[in-house]
Amino acid sequence: RKEVEQDPGPFNVPEGATVAFNCTYSNSASQSFFWYRQDCRKEPKLLMSVYSSGNEDGRFTAQLNRASQYISLLIRDSKLSDSATYLCVVNSASGDDKIIFGKGTRLHILP
Amino acid sequence: DAGVIQSPRHEVTEMGQEVTLRCKPISGHNSLFWYRQTMMRGLELLIYFNNNVPIDDSGMPEDRFSAKMPNASFSTLKIQPSEPRDSAVYFCASSLQREGEQFFGPGTRLTVL
């Protein structure tokens, strides 16, 4: 099993729809999790951290499921400007002390 | 606030040449990371520094790659000699602490012919 896995997509979603994607991780000792957004030919930027209790920021909701070892990102009322690649980041911070980025999920919001 | 600064933004060189990439982290940040991004392999962590000290260089692909951080405001990533398979976008990122939000520079797009 890969250390961090994401569905590469692309997800083609009509504007206004809700879309969700997951990221699975293999190291059960992983301690911190993030979602980054990367626009075409740009650098990644932090979208949101993922807390054990889940967290919401406007139209975006992030969840952590430790039992099944995945994190999720839900985008409601999607906008054209949400089109980007979404990278999950898993930080073990113990043992092998690794920071691992997923390869990303491409999202296209269609007008 | 200038953010993380990288130079050059683009580099085209011939196989066998030495390449030096430069990074200025955000002032006050203690951790600095070098990444390489390709379509095939995604974003890979090459090395990271904490308080100017290299902590984990296990991601450095081979001895042709080396990184230094002589002070808190400057780091270099050197490839010598360069090969076509080194072609990628190289990002530098910094953070207040290792586990925190990372701020990325705009990247250096390297093409080795």
Side-chain angles (χ1 to χ4, degrees), chain A residues 58-108:
Chain A
R59 299 181 293 108
F60 297 83
T61 300
Q63 298 269 348
L64 167 63
N65 186 317
R66 284 196 181 275
S68 300
Q69 294 183 206
Y70 73 87
I71 62 172
S72 64
L73 179 67
L74 178 82
I75 306 174
R76 289 180 298 278
D77 186 25
S78 54
K79 312 291 185 190
L80 295 176
S81 57
D82 295 333
S83 297
T85 297
Y86 291 83
L87 307 168
C88 71
V89 183
V90 177
N91 187 336
S92 64
S94 67
D96 59 5
D97 201 29
K98 283 187 175 180
I99 299 171
I100 303 173
F101 276 75
K103 289 188 178 180
T105 297
R106 286 170 54 204
L107 174 65
H108 295 313

Coordinates of all heavy atoms in Angstrom, one line a residue, chain A residues 58-108:
Chain A
G58 N -16.2 27.8 5.7 CA -17.0 28.2 4.6 C -17.6 27.0 3.9 O -18.3 26.2 4.5
R59 N -17.4 26.9 2.6 CA -17.9 25.8 1.8 C -17.1 24.6 1.9 O -17.5 23.5 1.3 CB -17.9 26.3 0.4 CG -18.8 27.5 0.1 CD -18.9 27.9 -1.4 NE -17.6 28.4 -1.9 CZ -16.8 27.7 -2.7 NH1 -17.1 26.5 -3.1 NH2 -15.6 28.2 -3.1
F60 N -16.0 24.6 2.6 CA -15.1 23.5 2.7 C -15.2 22.8 4.1 O -15.2 23.4 5.1 CB -13.6 24.0 2.5 CG -13.4 24.5 1.1 CD1 -13.7 25.9 0.9 CD2 -12.9 23.8 0.1 CE1 -13.5 26.4 -0.4 CE2 -12.7 24.3 -1.2 CZ -13.0 25.7 -1.4
T61 N -15.2 21.5 4.0 CA -15.3 20.7 5.3 C -14.2 19.6 5.2 O -14.2 18.8 4.1 CB -16.6 20.0 5.5 OG1 -17.6 21.0 5.6 CG2 -16.6 19.2 6.8
A62 N -13.4 19.4 6.2 CA -12.4 18.4 6.2 C -12.7 17.4 7.4 O -13.1 17.9 8.4 CB -11.0 19.0 6.4
Q63 N -12.5 16.2 7.1 CA -12.7 15.1 8.1 C -11.5 14.2 8.2 O -10.9 13.9 7.2 CB -14.0 14.3 7.7 CG -15.3 15.1 7.7 CD -16.0 15.2 9.0 OE1 -15.7 14.4 9.9 NE2 -17.0 16.1 9.1
L64 N -11.4 13.6 9.4 CA -10.3 12.6 9.6 C -11.0 11.4 10.1 O -11.8 11.4 11.1 CB -9.3 13.1 10.6 CG -8.3 12.1 11.2 CD1 -7.4 11.5 10.1 CD2 -7.5 12.7 12.3
N65 N -10.7 10.2 9.5 CA -11.2 8.9 10.0 C -9.9 8.1 10.4 O -9.3 7.5 9.5 CB -12.0 8.3 9.0 CG -12.7 7.0 9.5 OD1 -12.0 6.2 10.1 ND2 -13.9 6.8 9.1
R66 N -9.6 8.1 11.6 CA -8.4 7.4 12.0 C -8.5 5.8 11.9 O -7.6 5.1 11.6 CB -8.0 7.7 13.5 CG -7.3 9.1 13.6 CD -6.6 9.2 15.0 NE -6.0 10.5 15.1 CZ -4.8 10.8 14.7 NH1 -4.1 9.9 14.0 NH2 -4.4 12.0 14.9
A67 N -9.7 5.4 12.2 CA -9.9 3.9 12.2 C -9.7 3.3 10.8 O -9.1 2.3 10.6 CB -11.4 3.6 12.6
S68 N -10.2 4.1 9.8 CA -10.0 3.6 8.4 C -8.8 4.3 7.7 O -8.6 4.0 6.5 CB -11.3 3.9 7.6 OG -12.4 3.2 8.1
Q69 N -8.1 5.2 8.4 CA -6.9 5.8 7.9 C -7.2 6.6 6.6 O -6.5 6.3 5.6 CB -5.8 4.8 7.8 CG -5.3 4.3 9.1 CD -4.1 3.4 9.1 OE1 -4.0 2.5 10.0 NE2 -3.3 3.5 8.1
Y70 N -8.1 7.5 6.7 CA -8.2 8.4 5.5 C -8.7 9.8 6.0 O -9.3 9.9 7.1 CB -9.2 7.9 4.5 CG -10.7 7.9 4.8 CD1 -11.5 9.0 4.6 CD2 -11.3 6.8 5.4 CE1 -12.8 9.0 4.9 CE2 -12.6 6.8 5.8 CZ -13.4 7.9 5.5 OH -14.7 7.9 5.8
I71 N -8.4 10.8 5.2 CA -9.0 12.1 5.4 C -9.8 12.5 4.2 O -9.6 11.9 3.1 CB -7.9 13.2 5.6 CG1 -7.0 13.3 4.4 CG2 -7.1 12.9 6.9 CD1 -6.0 14.5 4.5
S72 N -10.8 13.4 4.3 CA -11.7 13.7 3.2 C -11.8 15.2 3.2 O -11.5 16.0 4.1 CB -13.0 13.1 3.5 OG -13.7 13.6 4.6
L73 N -12.1 15.7 2.0 CA -12.4 17.1 1.7 C -13.7 17.2 1.0 O -13.9 16.5 -0.1 CB -11.3 17.7 0.9 CG -11.5 19.2 0.6 CD1 -11.4 20.0 1.8 CD2 -10.4 19.7 -0.4
L74 N -14.6 18.0 1.5 CA -16.0 18.2 0.9 C -16.1 19.6 0.5 O -15.8 20.5 1.3 CB -17.1 17.8 1.9 CG -18.5 18.0 1.4 CD1 -19.0 16.9 0.6 CD2 -19.5 18.2 2.6
I75 N -16.5 19.9 -0.7 CA -16.7 21.2 -1.2 C -18.1 21.4 -1.6 O -18.6 20.7 -2.5 CB -15.8 21.6 -2.4 CG1 -14.3 21.3 -2.1 CG2 -15.9 23.0 -2.9 CD1 -13.4 21.4 -3.3
R76 N -18.8 22.3 -1.0 CA -20.2 22.5 -1.3 C -20.4 23.8 -2.2 O -19.5 24.6 -2.2 CB -21.0 22.8 0.0 CG -21.2 21.6 0.9 CD -22.0 22.0 2.2 NE -21.3 23.0 2.9 CZ -20.4 22.8 3.8 NH1 -20.0 21.5 4.0 NH2 -19.8 23.7 4.5
D77 N -21.5 23.8 -2.9 CA -21.7 24.9 -3.8 C -20.5 25.3 -4.6 O -20.0 26.5 -4.5 CB -22.2 26.1 -3.0 CG -22.7 27.3 -3.8 OD1 -23.1 27.1 -5.0 OD2 -22.7 28.4 -3.3
S78 N -20.0 24.4 -5.3 CA -18.7 24.6 -6.0 C -18.7 25.8 -7.0 O -19.7 26.0 -7.6 CB -18.2 23.3 -6.7 OG -19.3 22.9 -7.6
K79 N -17.6 26.5 -7.0 CA -17.4 27.7 -7.9 C -16.4 27.3 -9.0 O -15.5 26.4 -8.8 CB -16.9 28.9 -7.1 CG -17.6 29.1 -5.8 CD -19.0 29.6 -6.1 CE -19.7 30.0 -4.7 NZ -21.1 30.3 -5.0
L80 N -16.4 28.1 -10.1 CA -15.4 27.9 -11.1 C -14.0 28.0 -10.6 O -13.1 27.3 -11.0 CB -15.7 28.9 -12.3 CG -17.0 28.7 -13.0 CD1 -17.1 29.8 -14.1 CD2 -17.1 27.4 -13.7
S81 N -13.9 28.9 -9.6 CA -12.5 29.2 -9.1 C -12.0 28.1 -8.2 O -10.8 28.1 -7.8 CB -12.6 30.5 -8.3 OG -13.5 30.4 -7.2
D82 N -12.8 27.1 -7.9 CA -12.4 25.9 -7.1 C -11.6 25.0 -8.0 O -11.0 24.0 -7.5 CB -13.6 25.2 -6.5 CG -14.3 26.0 -5.5 OD1 -13.7 26.9 -4.9 OD2 -15.5 25.7 -5.3
S83 N -11.6 25.2 -9.3 CA -10.8 24.3 -10.2 C -9.3 24.4 -9.9 O -8.7 25.4 -9.9 CB -11.0 24.7 -11.7 OG -12.4 24.6 -12.0
A84 N -8.8 23.2 -9.5 CA -7.4 23.2 -9.1 C -7.0 21.7 -8.8 O -7.9 20.8 -8.9 CB -7.2 24.0 -7.8
T85 N -5.8 21.5 -8.3 CA -5.4 20.2 -7.8 C -5.3 20.3 -6.3 O -4.8 21.2 -5.8 CB -4.1 19.8 -8.4 OG1 -4.2 19.6 -9.8 CG2 -3.6 18.4 -7.8
Y86 N -5.9 19.3 -5.7 CA -6.0 19.3 -4.2 C -5.0 18.2 -3.7 O -5.2 17.0 -4.0 CB -7.4 19.1 -3.7 CG -8.2 20.3 -4.0 CD1 -8.8 20.4 -5.3 CD2 -8.4 21.3 -3.1 CE1 -9.6 21.6 -5.6 CE2 -9.2 22.4 -3.4 CZ -9.7 22.6 -4.7 OH -10.4 23.7 -5.0
L87 N -4.1 18.6 -2.9 CA -3.0 17.7 -2.4 C -3.3 17.4 -0.9 O -3.5 18.4 -0.1 CB -1.6 18.3 -2.5 CG -1.2 18.8 -3.9 CD1 0.0 19.7 -3.8 CD2 -1.0 17.7 -4.8
C88 N -3.2 16.2 -0.5 CA -3.3 15.9 0.9 C -1.9 15.7 1.5 O -1.0 15.3 0.7 CB -4.2 14.7 1.3 SG -3.5 13.1 0.8
V89 N -1.7 16.1 2.7 CA -0.4 16.0 3.3 C -0.5 15.2 4.6 O -1.4 15.6 5.5 CB 0.2 17.4 3.6 CG1 1.6 17.2 4.2 CG2 0.3 18.2 2.3
V90 N 0.4 14.3 4.8 CA 0.3 13.5 6.0 C 1.7 13.6 6.7 O 2.7 13.4 6.1 CB 0.0 12.0 5.7 CG1 0.1 11.1 7.0 CG2 -1.3 11.9 5.0
N91 N 1.7 13.9 8.0 CA 2.9 14.1 8.7 C 3.0 13.1 9.9 O 2.1 13.1 10.8 CB 2.9 15.6 9.3 CG 4.1 16.0 9.9 OD1 4.9 15.1 10.4 ND2 4.4 17.3 10.0
S92 N 4.0 12.2 9.8 CA 4.0 11.2 10.8 C 4.5 11.7 12.2 O 4.0 11.4 13.2 CB 4.9 10.0 10.4 OG 6.2 10.4 10.2
A93 N 5.5 12.6 12.1 CA 6.0 13.3 13.3 C 6.4 12.3 14.4 O 6.5 12.7 15.6 CB 5.0 14.3 13.8
S94 N 6.7 11.1 14.0 CA 7.1 10.1 15.0 C 7.8 9.0 14.3 O 7.5 8.8 13.1 CB 6.0 9.6 15.9 OG 5.1 8.8 15.1
G95 N 8.7 8.3 14.9 CA 9.3 7.1 14.2 C 10.1 7.6 13.0 O 11.1 8.3 13.2
D96 N 9.6 7.4 11.8 CA 10.4 7.8 10.6 C 10.2 9.3 10.3 O 10.9 9.8 9.4 CB 9.9 7.0 9.4 CG 8.5 7.1 9.1 OD1 7.8 7.9 9.8 OD2 8.0 6.4 8.2
D97 N 9.3 10.0 11.0 CA 9.3 11.4 11.0 C 9.2 12.0 9.6 O 10.0 12.8 9.1 CB 10.6 12.0 11.7 CG 10.4 13.4 12.1 OD1 9.3 13.8 12.4 OD2 11.4 14.2 12.1
K98 N 8.2 11.5 8.8 CA 8.1 11.9 7.4 C 7.0 12.9 7.2 O 5.9 12.8 7.8 CB 7.8 10.6 6.6 CG 9.1 9.8 6.4 CD 8.7 8.7 5.4 CE 9.9 7.9 5.0 NZ 9.6 6.8 4.0
I99 N 7.2 13.7 6.2 CA 6.1 14.6 5.6 C 5.9 14.1 4.2 O 6.8 14.1 3.4 CB 6.6 16.1 5.6 CG1 6.9 16.6 7.0 CG2 5.5 16.9 4.9 CD1 7.5 17.9 7.0
I100 N 4.7 13.7 3.9 CA 4.4 13.1 2.6 C 3.2 13.8 2.0 O 2.1 13.9 2.6 CB 4.1 11.6 2.8 CG1 5.3 10.9 3.4 CG2 3.9 11.0 1.4 CD1 5.1 9.4 3.8
F101 N 3.4 14.2 0.8 CA 2.4 14.8 0.0 C 1.8 13.7 -0.9 O 2.5 12.9 -1.5 CB 2.9 15.9 -0.9 CG 3.0 17.2 -0.3 CD1 4.0 17.5 0.6 CD2 2.1 18.3 -0.6 CE1 4.1 18.8 1.2 CE2 2.2 19.5 0.0 CZ 3.3 19.8 0.9
G102 N 0.4 13.7 -1.0 CA -0.2 12.9 -2.1 C 0.1 13.5 -3.4 O 0.5 14.6 -3.5
K103 N -0.2 12.7 -4.5 CA 0.0 13.2 -5.8 C -1.1 14.2 -6.3 O -1.0 14.8 -7.3 CB 0.1 12.1 -6.8 CG 1.4 11.3 -6.6 CD 1.6 10.3 -7.7 CE 2.9 9.5 -7.5 NZ 3.2 8.5 -8.6
G104 N -2.2 14.2 -5.5 CA -3.2 15.2 -5.8 C -4.4 14.7 -6.6 O -4.3 13.7 -7.3
T105 N -5.5 15.4 -6.4 CA -6.7 15.1 -7.1 C -7.1 16.3 -7.9 O -7.2 17.4 -7.4 CB -7.9 14.8 -6.2 OG1 -7.6 13.6 -5.5 CG2 -9.2 14.6 -7.0
R106 N -7.2 16.2 -9.3 CA -7.6 17.3 -10.1 C -9.1 17.5 -10.2 O -9.8 16.5 -10.3 CB -7.0 17.1 -11.5 CG -5.5 17.2 -11.6 CD -5.0 16.7 -13.0 NE -5.7 17.4 -14.1 CZ -5.8 16.8 -15.3 NH1 -5.3 15.7 -15.6 NH2 -6.4 17.5 -16.3
L107 N -9.5 18.7 -10.0 CA -10.9 19.1 -10.0 C -11.2 20.1 -11.0 O -10.5 21.1 -11.1 CB -11.3 19.6 -8.6 CG -12.7 20.1 -8.4 CD1 -13.7 19.0 -8.6 CD2 -12.9 20.8 -7.1
H108 N -12.1 19.8 -11.9 CA -12.6 20.8 -12.9 C -14.0 21.2 -12.6 O -14.9 20.3 -12.6 CB -12.5 20.2 -14.3 CG -11.1 20.0 -14.7 ND1 -10.1 20.8 -14.6 CD2 -10.6 18.9 -15.4 CE1 -8.9 20.3 -15.1 NE2 -9.2 19.1 -15.5

